């Protein structure tokens, strides 16, 4: 499965070790369809905005998907959903569920590493 990551799972970030056995497929951006929130030590994207999110794509196996689902508290906190990237490729991404971002600052740049 191809998965788009945009925060603590990206290369150089503290949860990246969960992707150590996964194949890096490249950097990518989402379409301008999200709000991007800073939740403290990690970000969250919410559908319905107009921000283009920068991230990375990985090809992950089923074991890694289970580990990621646990980390992201899927489907309660984040929901793994299919999204379309700017390039037209369809991948999975973790979308923050409604209400969890209330009061959190927006990351207008769309880039977690350069917030």
């Amino acid at each position: 499965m191809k998965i788009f990551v945009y925060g603590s799972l990206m290369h150089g970030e503290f949860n990246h070790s969960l992707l150590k056995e996964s194949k890096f497929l490249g950097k990518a951006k989402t379409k301008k369809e999200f709000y991007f929130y800073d939740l403290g030590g990690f970000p969250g994207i919410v559908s319905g905005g107009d921000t283009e999110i920068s991230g990375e794509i990985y090809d992950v196996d089923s074991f890694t998907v289970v580990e990621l689902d646990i980390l992201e508290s899927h489907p309660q906190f984040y929901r793994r959903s299919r999204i379309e990237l700017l390039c037209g490729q369809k991948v999975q991404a973790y979308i923050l569920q409604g209400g969890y971002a209330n009061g959190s600052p927006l990351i207008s740049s769309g880039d977690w590493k350069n917030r």
Side-chain angles (χ1 to χ4, degrees), residues 36-49:
F36 196 32
Y37 291 98
D38 185 340
L39 302 171
F42 56 93
I45 61 175
V46 175
S47 298

Side-chain angles (χ1 to χ4, degrees), residues 3-98:
I3 192 146
F4 175 79
V5 299
Y6 53 84
S8 70
L9 289 163
M10 290 194 302
H11 183 74
E13 298 293 319
F14 63 91
N15 282 320
H16 182 71
S17 61
L18 290 174
L19 297 173
K20 66 182 178 284
E21 301 298 322
S22 301
K23 183 178 180 183
F24 174 68
L25 299 176
K27 293 183 179 186
K29 291 186 178 190
T30 68
K31 291 184 173 186
K32 293 182 178 186
E33 298 177 341
F34 299 97
Y35 295 103
F36 196 32
Y37 291 98
D38 185 340
L39 302 171
F42 56 93
I45 61 175
V46 175
S47 298
D50 60 0
T51 302
E52 182 180 277
I53 312 301
S54 298
E56 301 169 348
I57 306 170
Y58 290 86
D59 190 7
V60 298
D61 60 23
S62 58
F63 178 80
T64 302
V65 171
V66 170
E67 287 187 313
L68 295 175
D69 283 353
I70 291 168
L71 173 73
E72 305 292 11
S73 298
H74 166 74
Q76 291 80 27
F77 191 65
Y78 289 94
R79 177 166 290 150
R80 184 170 30 85
S81 303
R82 187 174 174 175
I83 66 166
E84 186 173 346
L85 299 173
L86 194 58
C87 65
Q89 185 175 12
K90 293 182 173 114
V91 296
Q92 296 287 307
Y94 289 95
I95 310 298
L96 190 64
Q97 295 305 292

